[in-house]
Amino acid sequence: MTTPRKQVHLGAHFPGVNNTTVWSDPRSGSQIDFASFEHLARRAEAAHLDFFFLAEGLRLREHKGQIHDLDVVGRPDTLPVLAALAAVTDRIGLAGTINTTFNEPWELARQFATLDLLSGGRAAWNLVTSSDAFTGENFRRGGFLPHEQRYERAAELVQVARALWDSWDDDAVVAHARTGQFVRPGSVREVRHEGPHFQVRGEFTTPRGPQGHPVLFQAGDSADGRDFAAATADVVFSAHSTFEAGKAFFADVKGRLAAHRRTPDQLLILPATTVVLGATAQEAAERSHEIRLQQVPGPTAIAFLEQVWGRDLTDHDPEGPLPRIEPDVENLDITRGRVRHVKDPRAIAGAWRAQADANGWSIRRLVIEVTSRGGFVGTATQVADAIDRHVQEDASDGFILVPHLTPAGLDDVFDQVVPLLQERGSFRTEYAGTTLRDHLGLTRPAPRNTRSYADRALVG
Amino acid sequence: MAHPTSSPRPLHLGVDLSDAGAHPAAWRTHGSQAQRLFDAERLQHLVDTAQRGTLDLVVIDDSFSLQPTRSTTLRGRLDAALVAARLAPRSRGIGLVPTVATTHTEPFHVSKAIATIDHVSGGRAGWQLGWSSDDADAGHFGRGAALSEAAAVAEAEEAVEVVSALWDSWEDDAEIRDRETHRYVDRAKLHYVEHDGVHFAVKGPSITPRPPQGQPPIVVRVGSDESFGLAARHADLVRISATSRDEALDLRLRLRAAAAAAGREPGDLRVLVDAFVVTGPDQASARARLDLLTELEGVRWDTDSLTHVGTARELTDTFLSWWEIGAVDGFVVRPSSLHTDLDVLVDGVVPMLRTARAFREHYNGPTLRDQLGLRNPANRYAAIA
């Protein structure tokens, strides 16, 4: 008897506001028009992907004190886009990033319960935290939070959100016209929470969604972040897409689950990755190089270097050698609103100079090399083999696919790679269930023991 | 009754899609689909019906508290902004107006949510401005005692100013995709709003480009002196309560005068009166429907505005008589039961209004501003550039 193959799980990431997204290509469509979102979500659903994914950023990035204008700028609001996509899709999961720092649990729990109801059980929340005073300037509340309190606050926020989702029984709505009983007596309970970060009390407005709780994604990579994921998340959005790093991360995070009385199948590890296909490996490699050149035009290469050097380098030729001038270590927040930490700029500058000199690389070439994150490059068969190997050998449970073109950048993956994964029995050919939890093989959380909340019934 | 053959001032009609209808017992009536109250397809069907009648807009009420009035046994509510977004892709022409309150929600979030509904609907979003002076709401957010009505409205007014500035914080042609210089946007056309007020400090710009309508119409319900002032200064569409034609006329004229005093063009204001509606093929059956509703929940129906119990013909005549003398620009219909009275409005009243040349045969264009006869406003930042 053979054990069934591990199933690959795949998400489709809408291209984001960074230089991965190539806007200069003639095929590149709108980042804002709903048609772009609809295209990607519908094509992903036709390929039976697990979910569509939309990221968030609450302040336009700045570089040298001005809005960074070289990458895509601007995006619609995450949750209304996902709600709108629920109208034009039937099965695919709808996942979005929502920052917890500038939101309150009552409102977030309500929005995700609503999305879950409006989509028939397809909502997922990629919960991120921020201690970012720069973004905080757009908000009256929230803003600066000591780093060590970020996960503490996030954990409390999830606790409150879950209490709110559980405060309605699954079968609370009976709508008995004859007796006038709309909700079953005792089935909707007041929530009372008094914690260090939140004080919440009241009767929640929104029934429990089809999934009970929306699927929770988490992306933190620090030890605290990994523990938070092991304790709380259903899916980890990981950055470790190479095989060796993936295996190490997979073992580490899944190894943390037992301490929280959870089993390995209760948390999926899904790294973000890119795919470049060609009829031959050679053609794919050439296409990949072309894409990298599109992603790193000269001004982008200079701006990237300026983040390390902490000074204006626009007088340098991107096709020329690296700057001989030393970094200004006093000016390391030259770029704001993006996650990149430069620890020792002089050492990095020195290493890059040596690397460029040894290989004869220009500034642009160096930036292309040091910002390359791998990803899958090859024929459809090679890519399908590689994706499957990662999953069968526990380097991941699947991938979140990040295209470089909006909106059709994954069409070739759907058309060429997915069928090969299906042929080998590693990917679904039909949706077996209706909810995202069904697609991901996650159990539906039972309502918690309600005695931990105040027991006052709304309708007696 | 003589009707004008054509009117330079068309009648506007909205319908409130909240709950199962405006009557507390609506969910208990036959055909209410109360089991599917939170089902998107039920709502989609209601919007399809309203769109068949070329109504201007649907409004969706909201509150952070569970049926705060408690005059009904019905319980539960969805987030109205997400409902509006869900209804957008599969509707055309009709405006989608959720209530979003500013008391507990950041104006930055409100701004991008409404802008995004405008983007996904191709310019059909409106924003019914809400605020809360409710203790239960404050308790959900750990905020102690609630604000007074006056304080909540004052804060809402500042929030409107922030939201409106954020909508303008991108000029319409800010996205340039200039391959020569590799610049995606012209940052001279992105603006920091630099709001530093009493309640909010918001830097900007928005993360979301300017919505298709520039400024999605703002809807304000007037129920106090404070909200009257707010409406006169900021509303594109004012919802009023009036039980007589003269009362409506007086209120509309006072609103227009107050708008003019605030430096606005009074012709840019649309004043709609809430109309509670129980219909039937004849007087007696409409009356019997109301009696049944009253009996079901055992509560009197406390309406605070025009309330019609009767036929579609009589309702049409009432609408026309209020409209013709300029008492109103139109009505927000609050069907006692959505599943019954909305059909009568669309299939009974609307055709008669069309015959009277008071109501459109087709949508005027794709956007809510098109239906309301309001031009897209100029961008405040572009104007001074």
Side-chain angles (χ1 to χ4, degrees):
Chain A
M1 186 165 151
T2 57
T3 50
R5 289 183 77 78
K6 266 187 78 182
Q7 290 298 296
V8 173
H9 296 282
L10 295 174
H13 192 301
F14 191 83
V17 299
N18 50 55
N19 77 313
T20 305
T21 305
V22 174
W23 55 259
S24 56
D25 191 288
R27 294 166 294 175
S28 168
S30 172
Q31 294 287 129
I32 302 298
D33 289 351
F34 184 64
S36 292
F37 298 91
E38 185 173 352
H39 177 102
L40 180 57
R42 278 188 191 264
R43 290 291 268 116
E45 182 168 73
H48 303 103
L49 260 67
D50 294 72
F51 57 88
F52 169 97
F53 189 96
L54 191 56
E56 181 194 51
L58 295 173
R59 176 136 183 212
L60 301 185
R61 294 180 299 157
E62 291 182 4
H63 183 64
K64 292 189 288 185
Q66 291 187 293
I67 288 162
H68 184 63
D69 59 0
L70 301 174
D71 299 342
V72 165
V73 182
R75 58 215 301 158
D77 194 10
T78 300
L79 286 168
V81 171
L82 296 180
L85 287 172
V88 295
T89 56
D90 295 315
R91 293 295 184 92
I92 192 162
L94 301 167
T97 302
I98 296 290
N99 194 316
T100 59
T101 305
F102 310 105
N103 286 288
E104 299 284 337
W106 190 275
E107 187 163 29
L108 288 175
R110 207 167 173 268
Q111 289 169 325
F112 277 100
T114 296
L115 181 62
D116 208 41
L117 284 158
L118 291 177
S119 64
R122 298 187 281 141
W125 174 10
N126 180 38
L127 184 155
V128 303
T129 65
S130 149
S131 56
D132 178 357
F134 174 70
T135 304
E137 287 179 4
N138 281 333
F139 298 95
R140 124 168 94 168
R141 302 187 183 91
F144 182 76
L145 197 63
H147 196 267
E148 62 277 10
Q149 283 186 22
R150 287 168 54 195
Y151 285 110
E152 186 188 296
R153 186 178 182 278
E156 190 179 327
L157 188 137
V158 170
Q159 186 194 344
V160 176
R162 287 180 170 161
L164 294 171
W165 292 324
D166 290 343
S167 69
W168 284 61
D169 285 351
D170 285 322
D171 56 356
V173 176
V174 290
H176 283 157
R178 211 149 37 87
T179 60
Q181 213 177 71
F182 188 79
V183 292
R184 204 167 37 72
S187 63
V188 178
R189 291 166 297 275
E190 182 179 57
V191 170
R192 292 183 198 193
H193 174 90
E194 293 283 334
H197 296 278
F198 303 108
Q199 297 81 47
V200 175
R201 68 183 296 170
E203 296 139 352
F204 194 49
T205 57
T206 307
R208 204 164 190 255
Q211 296 188 106
H213 304 166
V215 173
L216 208 65
F217 284 49
Q218 212 279 319
D221 195 38
S222 64
D224 280 353
R226 293 177 187 204
D227 270 328
F228 178 69
T232 309
D234 301 303
V235 174
V236 176
F237 186 149
S238 138
H240 303 282
S241 63
T242 64
F243 188 76
E244 292 308 325
K247 275 187 82 82
F249 182 80
F250 188 97
D252 178 273
V253 174
K254 298 245 181 183
R256 293 171 192 254
L257 287 165
H260 303 283
R261 295 184 191 164
R262 301 180 72 202
T263 54
D265 59 342
Q266 291 179 304
L267 179 66
L268 281 73
I269 313 270
L270 301 179
T273 194
T274 56
V275 173
V276 179
L277 298 176
T280 62
Q282 170 74 20
E283 188 188 308
E286 285 166 9
R287 283 198 60 207
S288 176
H289 184 63
E290 291 293 314
I291 292 168
R292 293 298 291 138
L293 286 170
Q294 286 184 304
Q295 289 170 329
V296 188
T300 298
I302 295 292
F304 179 81
L305 228 52
E306 287 173 340
Q307 292 179 54
V308 173
W309 262 258
R311 57 172 86 239
D312 185 280
L313 298 172
T314 45
D315 57 344
H316 284 67
D317 178 3
E319 306 297 345
L322 267 69
R324 297 293 128 179
I325 188 172
E326 284 301 321
D328 175 358
V329 296
E330 303 300 313
N331 192 27
L332 293 182
D333 57 356
I334 187 169
T335 297
R336 304 203 293 171
R338 82 196 313 174
V339 186
R340 186 166 284 149
H341 304 289
V342 181
K343 291 221 172 60
D344 185 350
R346 290 192 182 195
I348 293 172
W352 285 357
R353 253 190 233 116
Q355 210 177 344
D357 289 346
N359 292 293
W361 287 343
S362 66
I363 288 174
R364 188 174 174 207
R365 180 66 192 273
L366 175 104
V367 172
I368 286 173
E369 297 293 335
V370 300
T371 59
S372 287
R373 288 209 185 148
F376 298 109
V377 179
T379 64
T381 306
Q382 288 170 332
V383 170
D385 283 344
I387 288 175
D388 201 26
R389 174 172 173 245
H390 277 252
V391 172
Q392 302 309 329
E393 298 181 23
D394 289 344
S396 79
D397 291 302
F399 291 94
I400 297 175
L401 304 169
V402 186
H404 74 285
L405 285 180
T406 304
L410 289 176
D411 285 2
D412 56 353
V413 181
F414 300 150
D415 293 339
Q416 299 172 45
V417 178
V418 167
L420 296 174
L421 290 168
Q422 289 169 330
E423 269 174 33
R424 68 192 67 200
S426 298
F427 194 70
R428 72 178 67 81
T429 54
E430 296 286 344
Y431 287 110
T434 57
T435 72
L436 178 55
R437 285 189 178 274
D438 293 337
H439 308 337
L440 295 172
L442 296 167
T443 53
R444 188 177 183 283
R448 286 201 192 165
N449 184 337
T450 51
R451 278 174 303 182
S452 56
Y453 311 117
D455 226 352
R456 188 163 73 77
L458 267 184
V459 179
Chain B
M1 187 180 299
H3 301 309
T5 50
S6 70
S7 171
R9 193 175 62 79
L11 180 70
H12 299 285
L13 281 180
V15 62
D16 186 329
L17 294 189
S18 306
D19 301 336
H23 195 287
W27 73 267
R28 296 180 65 180
T29 58
H30 184 68
S32 74
Q33 298 188 296
Q35 298 271 6
R36 297 179 54 212
L37 201 75
F38 310 104
D39 182 333
E41 288 305 317
R42 182 189 73 90
L43 291 157
Q44 186 77 54
H45 179 72
L46 293 170
V47 170
D48 291 348
T49 304
Q51 183 179 320
R52 182 156 48 82
T54 60
L55 301 196
D56 292 70
L57 55 94
V58 298
V59 290
I60 305 150
D61 214 345
D62 205 357
S63 156
F64 281 125
S65 287
L66 188 59
Q67 268 73 25
T69 64
R70 292 296 170 81
S71 61
T72 172
T73 45
L74 185 137
R75 292 285 178 273
R77 196 161 260 183
L78 301 173
D79 180 275
L82 294 183
V83 169
R86 170 63 178 76
L87 295 170
R90 284 163 48 196
S91 54
R92 294 286 175 272
I94 193 158
L96 302 167
V97 184
T99 300
V100 182
T102 58
T103 310
H104 302 291
T105 301
E106 299 272 356
F108 195 86
H109 289 317
V110 177
S111 158
K112 64 186 167 53
I114 300 293
T116 298
I117 297 166
D118 209 42
H119 281 292
V120 301
S121 65
R124 292 182 291 123
W127 172 27
Q128 179 163 291
L129 173 58
W131 55 85
S132 168
S133 54
D134 184 73
D135 280 328
D137 281 1
H140 307 330
F141 295 88
R143 295 202 176 128
L147 298 176
S148 67
E149 165 85 1
V153 171
E155 188 183 76
E157 179 148 7
E158 190 180 330
V160 170
E161 286 158 8
V162 176
V163 168
S164 175
L166 286 166
W167 284 336
D168 276 352
S169 65
W170 287 61
E171 293 184 41
D172 290 327
D173 53 356
E175 184 183 315
I176 52 172
R177 297 196 184 216
D178 181 7
R179 294 190 188 113
E180 293 274 303
T181 58
H182 295 286
R183 290 180 308 140
Y184 182 81
V185 288
D186 176 356
R187 59 186 165 211
K189 295 187 173 184
L190 298 180
H191 303 276
Y192 294 99
V193 303
E194 302 281 11
H195 179 88
D196 192 2
V198 179
H199 306 93
F200 308 104
V202 177
K203 179 86 175 175
S206 178
I207 59 162
T208 305
R210 194 161 189 251
Q213 295 181 100
Q215 299 277 323
I218 289 168
V219 180
V220 175
R221 297 178 76 166
V222 168
S224 63
D225 290 345
E226 290 87 358
S227 53
F228 179 96
L230 172 62
R233 288 186 290 276
H234 293 284
D236 300 291
L237 193 158
V238 188
R239 283 177 71 180
I240 61 169
S241 299
T243 51
S244 75
R245 199 168 69 157
D246 290 345
E247 188 189 350
L249 178 64
D250 173 61
L251 200 46
R252 178 166 180 268
L253 292 176
R254 285 198 290 122
L255 276 163
R256 288 168 65 95
R264 301 179 66 199
E265 169 55 54
D268 288 347
L269 214 60
R270 300 287 174 267
V271 180
L272 273 59
V273 69
D274 273 27
F276 293 88
V277 165
V278 189
T279 56
D282 51 56
Q283 257 292 336
S285 54
R287 179 61 54 191
R289 276 191 61 220
L290 179 58
D291 290 345
L292 175 68
L293 285 163
T294 304
E295 201 176 305
L296 276 171
E297 288 281 82
V299 290
R300 277 200 45 215
W301 196 25
D302 285 325
T303 62
D304 56 357
S305 192
L306 168 64
T307 303
H308 172 85
V309 183
T311 66
R313 172 79 260 170
E314 290 158 352
L315 180 58
T316 306
D317 289 341
T318 301
F319 281 176
L320 288 172
S321 79
W322 286 47
W323 170 70
E324 279 165 353
I325 65 152
V328 293
D329 296 296
F331 301 87
V332 173
V333 174
R334 306 189 61 184
S336 68
S337 292
L338 277 166
H339 68 98
T340 305
D341 298 307
L342 178 57
D343 283 342
V344 172
L345 175 69
V346 165
D347 298 325
V349 176
V350 163
M352 288 189 267
L353 289 173
R354 285 174 177 160
T355 303
R357 301 289 189 92
F359 196 63
R360 69 177 70 83
E361 300 272 347
H362 307 284
Y363 281 118
N364 304 334
T367 75
L368 175 56
R369 282 186 172 274
D370 290 334
Q371 311 332 332
L372 295 174
L374 298 171
R375 286 186 309 276
N376 279 20
N379 189 316
R380 76 196 64 191
Y381 297 106
I384 56 170

